[in-house]
Amino acid sequence: MKIYADNAATTKMSKTALDAMLPFLTEIYGNPSSLYEIGQRAKEALEEARATVASAINAEPNEIYFTSGGSEADNQAIRSAAVIGARKGKKHIVSTAIEHHAVLHTLKKLEKEGFEITLLDPHENGIVRPEELAAAIRDDTCLVTVMYANNEIGTIQPIGEIGAICKERGVYFHTDAVQAVGHLPIDVKKEKIYMLSASAHKFHGPKGVGFLYARKGILLSNLIEGGAQERGKRAGTENVAGVAAMAAALKEAVDNMSANAARLTALRGRLIDGLSQIPHSALNGDAEKRLPGNVSFCFEGIEGESLLLLLDDKGISASSGSACTSGSLDPSHVLLAIGRVHDVAHGSLRLTLGEDATAEQVDDIIEAVKEVVSYLRGMSPVWRDLMNGKGRFIL
Amino acid sequence: MALYSEKVMDHFRNPRNVGVIEDADGVGEVGNAKCGDIMKMYLKIEDEIIQDVKFETFGCGSAIASSSMATEMIKGKPLEEVEKLTNQAVAEALDGLPAHKLHCSVLAEEAIKAALEDYRSRQS
């Protein structure tokens, strides 16, 4: 049995994406800046991909900047807004406590450079409240950056409402949509999004390529200086094969989005129902407003890394927000931000289903998780104390 | 390269001496749930020799493997030898641990020392 249930970490490249990329590695390998035929054909492919990507989020082609991925796009968007803000004496940024580190660490750096950062509380359901966001915006706010959907607990933020508030207040709005693009319908015009970050490998494209959407009129600052690629805003010879594959993958994802979402939402429900049968467990994040394939749970009395290793032995790939898997002493900042205490956050499990998941696989996952959780609880002194009434159950 | 050595994975998958000794002569518990690691050691001691040892662990793969290995290293051994057990010895017996996991072997050493201390205090 092999079940890959970590699609929020990365996805398998689709056949469509692979087929789209190969010609640009083998035959049309020219540099898009060259004027001979294979260069110009590469250039055409690049611009075709730009149009495809733009239409997937209802943007204009000249508002799309290809990057090395989501982290670069996040960095460039935030840095650019900060530079524009600083010129006007506006050095305040509003964000949330559950952003990806590509956003949080950039904000931390700006804080050291004299910016003030307000992080909104995601509350217990993992969703920020628009009225609290409106209240956090000040006269000197230069940017609001709120992720579209969370990578750990899958919760979807009220992006349209946030966009409307930011437009009314005249503040730039950026969204890290790395987990959402290709999975949720996005319309940057309707949702009044000024900047958006995306990454190809989260929607069955290749790793190492992504894009930044920046509305016309926003002056981007370069992270990488050099040639005049990407209208002078991102130097370096374009990753033509990667970009072509990303566009093909995105088109496929958008074309099949509603059917995939409906199927995955049903499987998600089945998985949540199954795991909920495990005593002293809890779903993390809102039950409804979450990504179609995302299931995140905490199990009391066990630790996440041993859970992952034993699931791996059973052929199931998953992830956890425990300290041992985060590489730090603290468990996931997202789980802590939604009010999970350390003891419980260590026992977290994230399962993110791919488009090819089946009901049978979901049932196999439920069976395996039940078995492993009960085995680990059997050797846990924490669980023994809880069962003997020496400690109090949290979940 | 895998995260853990074969030895670690063997002790993690098939931990030796898991469980509880109801009438233990010494019990030691170290770590805390906040940090994500708790180890509990139960010792049965006769004539200054570890007759039996059991452990319970809440923690990651290397925490479970370290506990298991430590119990194997002290079972049947005289107390004066057990007292000299170091975390390095446990880590070496496991063919090494990743640097950020060495604290798991420290916990194993501390859990055994805590259980021995409990035994001594009950004696006196």
Side-chain angles (χ1 to χ4, degrees):
Chain A
M1 183 171 79
K2 278 280 171 207
I3 304 175
Y4 181 74
D6 202 15
N7 285 273
T10 194
T11 59
K12 178 180 173 176
M13 232 174 97
S14 68
K15 175 86 169 52
T16 313
L18 183 65
D19 288 346
M21 101 187 285
L22 288 177
F24 300 100
L25 298 170
T26 51
E27 293 153 40
I28 317 165
Y29 52 82
N31 187 322
S33 301
S34 302
L35 50 77
Y36 41 77
E37 200 214 346
I38 56 166
Q40 286 307 300
R41 280 176 66 193
K43 172 86 180 154
E44 277 163 31
L46 198 65
E47 294 317 313
E48 207 176 295
R50 201 182 306 280
T52 304
V53 167
S55 76
I57 58 168
N58 195 25
E60 303 303 322
N62 61 2
E63 295 174 323
I64 302 297
Y65 300 83
F66 295 126
T67 67
S68 64
S71 292
E72 184 190 331
D74 282 337
N75 274 258
Q76 188 166 16
I78 294 167
R79 280 271 163 203
S80 298
V83 168
I84 296 166
R87 271 194 212 121
K88 299 177 187 160
K90 294 183 170 188
K91 297 181 83 172
H92 176 241
I93 297 173
V94 179
S95 188
T96 82
I98 58 170
E99 295 299 309
H100 190 271
H101 285 128
V103 169
L104 286 179
H105 288 175
T106 305
L107 295 177
K108 261 266 159 311
K109 237 177 165 180
L110 286 171
E111 205 168 31
K112 283 188 188 138
E113 294 168 22
F115 280 77
E116 257 187 89
I117 313 294
T118 301
L119 296 182
L120 298 169
D121 180 354
H123 300 279
E124 270 175 35
N125 68 345
I127 297 175
V128 297
R129 298 185 183 158
E131 64 273 19
E132 291 180 5
L133 179 125
I137 295 175
R138 314 190 312 212
D139 289 342
D140 64 341
T141 304
C142 62
L143 174 70
V144 168
T145 173
V146 175
M147 70 196 327
Y148 208 109
N150 185 266
N151 49 310
E152 291 185 38
I153 57 174
T155 51
I156 301 167
Q157 304 301 328
I159 294 299
E161 286 175 71
I162 295 170
I165 293 167
C166 292
K167 180 160 171 57
E168 193 195 318
R169 303 287 292 274
V171 178
Y172 282 148
F173 172 40
H174 164 255
T175 183
D176 170 359
V178 165
Q179 293 291 335
V181 170
H183 302 283
L184 299 173
I186 296 176
D187 183 327
V188 293
K189 291 196 175 83
K190 209 170 102 193
E191 295 170 285
K192 301 181 171 56
I193 297 166
Y194 279 75
M195 290 186 279
L196 175 147
S197 308
S199 177
H201 75 102
K202 307 292 192 186
F203 50 80
H204 304 283
K207 291 163 187 66
V209 59
F211 67 89
L212 169 63
Y213 151 79
R215 187 171 288 190
K216 235 172 287 175
I218 296 175
L219 184 63
L220 291 180
S221 301
N222 286 48
L223 296 182
I224 301 172
E225 302 292 348
Q229 292 89 353
E230 300 302 299
R231 291 186 299 288
K233 296 303 171 196
R234 205 285 185 181
T237 299
E238 300 89 338
N239 177 3
V240 182
V243 165
M246 168 167 70
L250 185 52
K251 184 173 184 317
E252 188 171 50
V254 171
D255 288 347
N256 299 302
M257 189 182 287
S258 54
N260 282 338
R263 230 173 53 76
L264 277 182
T265 303
L267 291 177
R268 181 188 77 192
R270 189 184 184 102
L271 185 49
I272 290 173
D273 288 348
L275 297 181
S276 298
Q277 292 166 8
I278 297 174
H280 304 289
S281 66
L283 177 72
N284 297 313
D286 196 274
E288 300 295 329
K289 289 175 189 152
R290 64 191 303 134
L291 288 163
N294 176 291
V295 173
S296 167
F297 261 79
C298 280
F299 302 104
E300 199 156 6
I302 61 162
E303 194 279 330
E305 191 211 74
S306 35
L307 176 60
L308 294 189
L309 291 170
L310 291 174
L311 286 178
D312 185 29
D313 278 351
K314 291 176 180 293
I316 298 170
S317 311
S319 82
S320 168
S322 82
C324 280
T325 57
S326 73
S328 72
L329 288 175
D330 280 320
S332 140
H333 67 285
V334 175
L335 295 174
L336 296 178
I338 61 166
R340 295 281 184 233
V341 296
H342 280 70
D343 316 39
V344 166
H346 286 300
S348 71
L349 174 68
R350 178 186 73 178
L351 297 155
T352 42
L353 304 174
E355 282 73 14
D356 57 352
T358 64
E360 198 189 2
Q361 288 181 332
V362 165
D363 292 346
D364 286 342
I365 293 173
I366 295 167
E367 221 35 61
V369 174
K370 279 183 179 171
E371 205 178 296
V372 171
V373 167
S374 122
Y375 167 75
L376 287 173
R377 280 176 171 173
M379 70 161 80
S380 162
V382 177
W383 183 252
R384 172 176 299 279
D385 283 352
L386 289 168
M387 293 303 276
N388 292 339
K390 282 188 200 158
R392 276 181 49 206
F393 284 105
I394 299 164
L395 301 179
Chain B
M1 203 198 99
L3 172 64
Y4 293 129
S5 70
E6 281 297 317
K7 265 270 179 54
V8 172
M9 288 309 292
D10 176 39
H11 275 263
F12 167 64
R13 290 186 178 119
N14 311 294
R16 283 61 148 176
N17 307 308
V18 177
V20 175
I21 300 174
E22 294 295 350
D23 59 341
D25 300 309
V27 179
E29 182 175 314
V30 295
N32 68 65
K34 193 167 184 266
C35 299
D37 286 307
I38 295 184
M39 273 182 209
K40 198 166 181 177
M41 291 277 176
Y42 301 84
L43 303 178
K44 194 77 197 144
I45 299 166
E46 264 171 55
D47 303 329
E48 293 285 291
I49 286 173
I50 307 278
Q51 296 296 337
D52 197 10
V53 49
K54 297 273 186 210
F55 81 90
E56 290 181 303
T57 291
F58 159 91
C60 59
S62 63
I64 290 170
S66 297
S67 327
S68 167
M69 178 55 88
T71 60
E72 269 208 328
M73 292 170 81
I74 64 166
K75 199 168 176 176
K77 297 279 160 63
L79 294 194
E80 58 175 26
E81 203 176 308
V82 172
E83 274 158 358
K84 288 180 199 142
L85 181 83
T86 63
N87 80 293
Q88 289 98 323
V90 174
E92 272 166 33
L94 287 167
D95 289 340
L97 286 170
H100 66 290
K101 297 285 188 178
L102 277 172
H103 72 276
C104 293
S105 59
V106 176
L107 277 184
E109 178 195 324
E110 286 174 353
I112 288 167
K113 300 235 155 108
L116 281 179
E117 209 169 292
D118 180 50
Y119 167 70
R120 299 276 187 225
S121 70
R122 289 190 204 187
Q123 297 295 95
S124 58

